[in-house]
C-alpha cells in the first residue's frame, strides 16, 4: 500500500466516523418543516384580520383560511408542542445518561438543546393561550399561562416569558388588571397576530382609542400582505406541481409507448470516457470535500476566531450572512482546487467533460427538471415527515434565512444558495462524480449512487431521502442534456424557490 492510499484509508475512516456522528446528532435536532408550518399558520392568522367589507379579497380569504382558522391554528400549535415535548424528554434522557467528564462536548450540546426546547414550549404556550381566549376558552387559556409561569419560574433565562404569561393572565382574568411594563413585554415576547391580539386587549382596557385605531390599521395592512404572501407560497408550488405532474405523465407514457427510444431509457446513453480510475474519485471526495470541509476549514476558521476573538454567533444579520458565504466560497475553492490537481495529469480531457455550453436547450432541461422535481420531492417529503416525526435536523442556513429581516443579508444568502452552491455542487457531484462513476456502473446506477452521496453530504438525516430524489432528477437532466448549465439552473431554481418561501413566511412574523 502506498503512503497516499494509507492516508486516504485513515481519512476515509475518520470521514465515516465524523459524518456518522453528524448524522446521529441531527436526530436530536428539529426539522425546519415544523417551523415553516407554524409560520404559515401565523400568516393565516394575520389574514383573518381582513375586513369583511373588502369584497375583492373575501373569496381568496375563504379559500385560503378555511371555515375555522383559529381552531385549525390551535391544532397545529398543539401538534408542534407535542413534538417539542417528545424531543425534550428524549434530550433529558440522553442528558441523564451522559457523563459530564467523559463527554463534555456532547453534554454541553444536549444542555443547549434542552434549554432551546424549554423556551420553545413556553413560547408555544403563550401563543396557545391567545388562540384559546380568541375562541372564548378563557379558563383554559388562564391554565395554559399558569403552566408557563410554573415551568419558567425555576429557570432564570425564561423569566421574560414568565412575566409575559403573567401579563396575559392579568388582561383576561376577572376582573382584569394592568401590570407595569405590560406593553413592552408583549411587544418583545410576542409576534405578529398574537402580539396584535394581546395589544388590542391592553389598549381597550386602557381606553387608548388612538393606539387601538393605529393598531387596527396596521393589522389591516398586514392582513392584505399576508394574503398575498399565502397566495404565492401556496399557489406557485401547486401550479408548479401541476406542470410537473404533466411532464411526468408525458415521460411515463413515452416510456410505455416507445420503450428504448424514450427519454427515460438510459441504457443506451453514452458514457463519459473516464481516463482516471476509482482512486482519483476517492481522492477528490475525501480530500476535496471531506478533508477541506470537515477538518481544514474548521481548523483555519477556529484559529482565526481565537486570534481575532470574533464569534460568528455575536455577528449581526449581515455579518452572519457574509460569514456563511465566505465559509462556502473557501470550501468551494478548496474542493475545486483538489479536483483540478487530481485530474490535471489527464489533461487534455476527453470531449464532454465539465461541459458549459450556452447553446442548446439547457434552459428547457433546467426548467423541465425543476417542475418534474416538485411533485416528486414534495411527495417524498410528506412520507419523510411521517418517518422522522419532526426530527432529523435541517440545513443550518434555512432557519437563519427564515428569521432574516435585513435585505442586504437576504441578498447575500441568495448569492450563497442560488449561485455559489449550484455551481460548486454541480461541478463536483454531477460534472465529476456522476460522470466518473459511469466507468464502473450503468448510467442509472451512477445517477443513484452520486445522488445518495450528494444527500449524505448535507449532514441531516431528515434531508437524505428528499435530496436523493432531487439529486436523481439533477443527474437525469445532466445526463440527457450533457450540459452542466442545465443542472445548475435546476439547482438554482430549487434553492431560490426555497429561499423565497422562507422570506415570505418569515415576513409574517412581525407587524
Amino acid at each position: 500500500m502506498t503512503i497516499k492510499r494509507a492516508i486516504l484509508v485513515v481519512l476515509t475512516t475518520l470521514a465515516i466516523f465524523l459524518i456518522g456522528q453528524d448524522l446521529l446528532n441531527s436526530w436530536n435536532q428539529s426539522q425546519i418543516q415544523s417551523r415553516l408550518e407554524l409560520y404559515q399558520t401565523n400568516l393565516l392568522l394575520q389574514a383573518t384580520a381582513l375586513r369583511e367589507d373588502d369584497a375583492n379579497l373575501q373569496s381568496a380569504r375563504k379559500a385560503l383560511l378555511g371555515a375555522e382558522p383559529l381552531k385549525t391554528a390551535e391544532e397545529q400549535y398543539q401538534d408542534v408542542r407535542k413534538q417539542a415535548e417528545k424531543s425534550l424528554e428524549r434530550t433529558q434522557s440522553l442528558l441523564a445518561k451522559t457523563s459530564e467528564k467523559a463527554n463534555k462536548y456532547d453534554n454541553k450540546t444536549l444542555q443547549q438543546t434542552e434549554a432551546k426546547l424549554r423556551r420553545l414550549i413556553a413560547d408555544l404556550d403563550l401563543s396557545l393561550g391567545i388562540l384559546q381566549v380568541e375562541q372564548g376558552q378563557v379558563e383554559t387559556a388562564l391554565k395554559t399561562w399558569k403552566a408557563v409561569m410554573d415551568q419558567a419560574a425555576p429557570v432564570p433565562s425564561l423569566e421574560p416569558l414568565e412575566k409575559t404569561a403573567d401579563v396575559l393572565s392579568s388582561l383576561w382574568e376577572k376582573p382584569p388588571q394592568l401590570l407595569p411594563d405590560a406593553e413592552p413585554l408583549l411587544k418583545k415576547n410576542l409576534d405578529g397576530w398574537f402580539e396584535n391580539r394581546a395589544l388590542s386587549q391592553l389598549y381597550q382596557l386602557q381606553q387608548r382609542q388612538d393606539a387601538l385605531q393605529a393598531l387596527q390599521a396596521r393589522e389591516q395592512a398586514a392582513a392584505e400582505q399576508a394574503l398575498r404572501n399565502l397566495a404565492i407560497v401556496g399557489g406557485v408550488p401547486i401550479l408548479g406541481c401541476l406542470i410537473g405532474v404533466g411532464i411526468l405523465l408525458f415521460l411515463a407514457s413515452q416510456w410505455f409507448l416507445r420503450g428504448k427510444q424514450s427519454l427515460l431509457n438510459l441504457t443506451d446513453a453514452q458514457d463519459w470516457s473516464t481516463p482516471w480510475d476509482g482512486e482519483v474519485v476517492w481522492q477528490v471526495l475525501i480530500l476535496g470535500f471531506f478533508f477541506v470541509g470537515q477538518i481544514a476549514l474548521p481548523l483555519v476558521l477556529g484559529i482565526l476566531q481565537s486570534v481575532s476573538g470574533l464569534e460568528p454567533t455575536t455577528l449581526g444579520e449581515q455579518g452572519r450572512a457574509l460569514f456563511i458565504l465566505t465559509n462556502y466560497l473557501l470550501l468551494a475553492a478548496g474542493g475545486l482546487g483538489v479536483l483540478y490537481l487530481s485530474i490535471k495529469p489527464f489533461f487534455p480531457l476527453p470531449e464532454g467533460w465539465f461541459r458549459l455550453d450556452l447553446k442548446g436547450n439547457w434552459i428547457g432541461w433546467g426548467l423541465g427538471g425543476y417542475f418534474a422535481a416538485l411533485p416528486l420531492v414534495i411527495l417524498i417529503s410528506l412520507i419523510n415527515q411521517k418517518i422522522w416525526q419532526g426530527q432529523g435536523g435541517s440545513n443550518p442556513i434555512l432557519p437563519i434565512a427564515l428569521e432574516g429581516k435585513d435585505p442586504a443579508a437576504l441578498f447575500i444568502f441568495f448569492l450563497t444558495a442560488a449561485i455559489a452552491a449550484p455551481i460548486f455542487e454541480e461541478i463536483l457531484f454531477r460534472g465529476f462524480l456522476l460522470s466518473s462513476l459511469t466507468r464502473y456502473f450503468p448510467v442509472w446506477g451512477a445517477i443513484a449512487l452520486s445522488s445518495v452521496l450528494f444527500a449524505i453530504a448535507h449532514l441531516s438525516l431528515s434531508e437524505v431521502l428528499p435530496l436523493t430524489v432531487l439529486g436523481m432528477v439533477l443527474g437525469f437532466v445532466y445526463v440527457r442534456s450533457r450540459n452542466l448549465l442545465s443542472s445548475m439552473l435546476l439547482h438554482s431554481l430549487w434553492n431560490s424557490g426555497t429561499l423565497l418561501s422562507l422570506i415570505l413566511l418569515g415576513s409574517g412574523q412581525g407587524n
Side-chain angles (χ1 to χ4, degrees), residues 188-207:
K188 184 176 181 180
N189 297 302
L190 296 173
D191 289 312
W193 180 85
F194 299 98
E195 178 186 337
N196 292 337
R197 293 298 83 222
L199 289 176
S200 178
Q201 179 74 357
L202 175 66
Y203 295 157
Q204 288 180 53
L205 293 174
Q206 293 175 329
Q207 298 183 348

Side-chain angles (χ1 to χ4, degrees), residues 148-255:
V148 174
M149 288 185 277
D150 291 341
Q151 293 167 12
V155 185
S157 63
L158 297 181
E159 184 181 354
L161 301 186
E162 178 193 1
K163 290 181 177 179
T164 305
D166 192 19
V167 168
L168 291 169
S169 296
S170 69
L171 292 177
W172 271 279
E173 64 186 6
K174 294 182 180 179
Q177 300 180 47
L178 295 174
L179 298 183
D181 298 324
E183 186 171 358
L185 279 168
L186 295 176
K187 287 183 175 180
K188 184 176 181 180
N189 297 302
L190 296 173
D191 289 312
W193 180 85
F194 299 98
E195 178 186 337
N196 292 337
R197 293 298 83 222
L199 289 176
S200 178
Q201 179 74 357
L202 175 66
Y203 295 157
Q204 288 180 53
L205 293 174
Q206 293 175 329
Q207 298 183 348
R208 295 168 57 189
Q209 292 302 315
D210 290 345
L212 187 60
Q213 289 176 2
L215 175 65
Q216 290 170 348
R218 291 197 303 272
E219 278 190 296
Q220 186 60 207
E224 293 175 5
Q225 183 62 51
L227 204 62
R228 286 192 287 269
N229 288 356
L230 284 168
I232 296 172
V233 171
V236 172
I238 290 174
L239 178 61
C241 280
L242 291 175
I243 296 173
V245 168
I247 292 173
L248 293 173
L249 289 175
F250 166 76
L251 291 173
S253 61
Q254 190 197 43
W255 178 78

Side-chain angles (χ1 to χ4, degrees), residues 34-342:
S34 299
R35 292 175 64 184
L36 292 180
E37 291 170 358
L38 279 189
Y39 275 40
Q40 187 162 356
T41 298
N42 293 348
L43 277 178
L44 287 168
L45 289 172
Q46 282 200 339
T48 61
L50 199 66
R51 286 194 302 266
E52 294 294 333
D53 59 354
D54 197 334
N56 293 329
L57 295 174
Q58 284 312 304
S59 58
R61 179 184 186 275
K62 291 178 181 178
L64 288 170
L65 304 185
E68 298 179 291
L70 295 181
K71 183 178 179 181
T72 302
E74 184 182 359
E75 291 173 352
Q76 179 66 51
Y77 268 79
Q78 292 284 13
D79 287 343
V80 174
R81 192 190 187 285
K82 288 177 184 177
Q83 291 178 10
E85 280 189 322
K86 289 180 181 178
S87 298
L88 179 60
E89 290 173 4
R90 189 183 303 114
T91 301
Q92 290 174 332
S93 176
L94 290 171
L95 196 55
K97 297 175 183 177
T98 302
S99 167
E100 186 174 354
K101 292 182 180 179
N103 297 286
K104 207 167 187 178
Y105 174 78
D106 290 343
N107 189 274
K108 184 178 179 181
T109 302
L110 288 171
Q111 288 175 341
Q112 291 173 344
T113 302
E114 181 189 28
K116 288 179 181 178
L117 288 169
R118 283 184 180 277
R119 184 176 183 88
L120 172 62
I121 291 171
D123 277 327
L124 291 170
D125 282 342
L126 290 179
S127 300
L128 275 167
I130 296 174
L131 284 167
Q132 289 159 354
V133 296
E134 288 295 313
Q135 297 176 82
Q137 304 165 16
V138 178
E139 291 302 319
T140 304
L142 293 176
K143 291 178 182 178
T144 301
W145 291 325
K146 178 67 166 57
V148 174
M149 288 185 277
D150 291 341
Q151 293 167 12
V155 185
S157 63
L158 297 181
E159 184 181 354
L161 301 186
E162 178 193 1
K163 290 181 177 179
T164 305
D166 192 19
V167 168
L168 291 169
S169 296
S170 69
L171 292 177
W172 271 279
E173 64 186 6
K174 294 182 180 179
Q177 300 180 47
L178 295 174
L179 298 183
D181 298 324
E183 186 171 358
L185 279 168
L186 295 176
K187 287 183 175 180
K188 184 176 181 180
N189 297 302
L190 296 173
D191 289 312
W193 180 85
F194 299 98
E195 178 186 337
N196 292 337
R197 293 298 83 222
L199 289 176
S200 178
Q201 179 74 357
L202 175 66
Y203 295 157
Q204 288 180 53
L205 293 174
Q206 293 175 329
Q207 298 183 348
R208 295 168 57 189
Q209 292 302 315
D210 290 345
L212 187 60
Q213 289 176 2
L215 175 65
Q216 290 170 348
R218 291 197 303 272
E219 278 190 296
Q220 186 60 207
E224 293 175 5
Q225 183 62 51
L227 204 62
R228 286 192 287 269
N229 288 356
L230 284 168
I232 296 172
V233 171
V236 172
I238 290 174
L239 178 61
C241 280
L242 291 175
I243 296 173
V245 168
I247 292 173
L248 293 173
L249 289 175
F250 166 76
L251 291 173
S253 61
Q254 190 197 43
W255 178 78
F256 179 77
L257 294 173
R258 301 183 63 182
K260 290 185 177 182
Q261 295 182 337
S262 68
L263 290 172
L264 285 178
N265 178 52
L266 296 179
T267 55
D268 296 330
Q270 183 182 357
D271 295 341
W272 280 263
S273 177
T274 308
W276 48 80
D277 58 16
E279 186 172 327
V280 172
V281 180
W282 180 22
Q283 174 179 303
V284 170
L285 288 181
I286 295 301
L287 293 179
F289 195 81
F290 164 73
F291 180 76
V292 171
Q294 296 286 95
I295 297 179
L297 192 54
L299 184 62
V300 171
L301 292 175
I303 293 172
L304 291 175
Q305 287 172 30
S306 63
V307 171
S308 64
L310 187 64
E311 286 290 334
T313 53
T314 63
L315 299 173
E317 282 189 47
Q318 291 185 28
R320 283 186 295 167
L322 281 171
F323 178 81
I324 290 171
L325 176 59
T326 302
N327 188 68
Y328 198 89
L329 290 177
L330 290 173
L331 169 64
L336 294 178
V338 171
L339 172 61
Y340 173 78
L341 293 175
S342 298

